[in-house]
Amino acid sequence: MGSKSRKFGEVFTRAQEILRKTFGMELVELQTRVEEKDDEQKKDLEKLGIKKKTASTNTKTFILRSVLHPSLIEIAASPDDDILRVDQADHTEDDVGDEVGVLYVILALILVNGKTISDSELRSLLKRMRLPGAANVPQNNQSPLQMFTFDAFLTICIRQGYLDRQRVGEVKGAGKKRGRAAVGTQAGGDDNANAWEWRWGSRAMSEVGEVDIARFVTDFMVERERAETGGEDEEDEDEDERQEAEKRREQVMKGVERAASGSLAGITGS
């Protein structure tokens, strides 16, 4: 903006109005890991009646986020059955889900493991869920579908800010950038000498949020339990069954929060 940089706030506000009304989107500045930790500490102190002033760290990195109603997004994201049949004909047994579904599973595993998980443990859990390292992940915004190797998919998630990977015990800013090397190319190839761990990236916090992933896990577990016990469809449930299902959801949600080792954060930058 040259010499008119002081007008940024005014321009930004107007741009937000146009984005929301015309395109159903908004600009959101990503948080740094430091800001996320400060927010957690601030919440803990507020519970004790202590107020703490924290300096805001501007990343100057923005993303576009949809403000459309979830029902509209669900309809827009619905795949075309005819296209899927053609694309799936070329898939192999190693192909899995789609990139969003796989990412949500990874975010869920990180969340319920205390918000951080070692690389070896993550891969072990994914293998048990039929997501081995040799799996192919389809890029669901391409037609015909394009396939990623699993390690390539993880690398893309790091670059896009959905996942964060670092060496165990590494201090941020200690002379080098974290998570920039391609996944699967760690120096020396010795997992013991070069242990890695995964966390949520700032974009996942701004687009998805821990609360929604916790609900994703809760819905999956409750619906699976109902299916295994021969439960009725929701349309055929009576009031007592609905109340029992809701009570079970509350129990599972609390369990997810305990497994996350702390309070669950909603979407940041809202």
Side-chain angles (χ1 to χ4, degrees):
M1 299 182 67
S3 62
K4 299 182 179 180
S5 59
R6 293 184 179 180
K7 293 285 186 180
F8 175 80
E10 182 180 339
V11 174
F12 182 80
T13 300
R14 180 62 181 140
Q16 289 285 58
E17 293 175 359
I18 297 173
L19 283 169
R20 289 173 179 141
K21 292 180 180 179
T22 307
F23 300 100
M25 307 190 81
E26 65 180 357
L27 276 170
V28 179
E29 187 172 14
L30 296 180
Q31 285 189 331
T32 64
R33 174 64 59 182
V34 172
E35 286 178 310
E36 292 168 14
K37 289 183 178 179
D38 285 345
D39 286 344
E40 292 176 2
Q41 292 174 356
K42 186 177 179 181
K43 290 177 182 178
D44 292 338
L45 290 173
E46 286 177 350
K47 291 179 181 178
L48 299 174
I50 303 172
K51 291 185 179 181
K52 178 185 178 182
K53 293 183 179 180
T54 55
S56 176
T57 305
N58 296 323
T59 64
K60 297 183 180 180
T61 301
F62 292 82
I63 61 169
L64 280 172
R65 183 172 67 191
S66 173
V67 295
L68 295 176
H69 192 278
S71 61
L72 291 176
I73 296 176
E74 184 177 354
I75 294 171
S78 299
D80 184 281
D81 291 337
D82 292 334
I83 294 177
L84 276 181
R85 277 194 290 272
V86 173
D87 290 333
Q88 289 174 350
D90 297 328
H91 290 181
T92 68
E93 292 183 356
D94 289 333
D95 299 343
V96 296
D98 60 54
E99 55 181 323
V100 175
V102 174
L103 174 61
Y104 275 30
V105 168
I106 293 173
L107 292 175
L109 290 174
I110 295 172
L111 182 65
V112 300
N113 277 273
K115 303 184 183 181
T116 181
I117 188 172
S118 68
D119 182 76
S120 59
E121 185 175 3
L122 175 62
R123 291 178 183 275
S124 176
L125 290 172
L126 290 172
K127 187 175 182 180
R128 289 168 57 186
M129 300 174 70
R130 298 183 181 179
L131 289 169
N136 295 316
V137 181
Q139 187 177 8
N140 62 4
N141 63 346
Q142 298 292 327
S143 183
L145 293 181
Q146 297 180 4
M147 308 300 293
F148 295 122
T149 64
F150 192 71
D151 281 342
F153 167 73
L154 291 176
T155 299
I156 290 171
C157 288
I158 294 171
R159 289 174 180 169
Q160 293 179 342
Y162 291 109
L163 294 174
D164 183 35
R165 182 187 65 133
Q166 68 180 91
R167 294 184 188 277
V168 175
E170 182 180 49
V171 178
K172 183 176 180 180
K176 55 185 175 180
K177 295 181 180 179
R178 295 178 297 142
R180 295 302 183 186
V183 177
T185 61
Q186 295 91 335
D190 186 346
D191 288 339
N192 293 324
N194 301 292
W196 295 81
E197 59 186 8
W198 294 88
R199 292 184 176 86
W200 281 37
S202 57
R203 191 165 180 175
M205 296 298 299
S206 293
E207 287 189 8
V208 186
E210 294 173 350
V211 171
D212 282 343
I213 288 295
R215 288 175 182 155
F216 165 71
V217 174
T218 298
D219 289 342
F220 171 79
M221 294 183 68
V222 172
E223 292 305 316
R224 182 176 181 179
E225 288 176 357
R226 286 158 49 79
E228 291 177 348
T229 57
E232 300 290 334
D233 294 334
E234 289 188 10
E235 295 180 357
D236 300 327
E237 285 182 338
D238 58 29
E239 185 61 27
D240 290 340
E241 289 173 326
R242 277 192 288 270
Q243 289 181 358
E244 185 63 29
E246 186 59 31
K247 185 184 296 183
R248 180 58 182 150
R249 281 189 172 87
E250 291 177 2
Q251 292 173 343
V252 174
M253 191 73 172
K254 290 179 180 178
V256 172
E257 186 170 355
R258 286 194 299 270
S261 302
S263 59
L264 300 175
I267 296 176
T268 58
S270 297

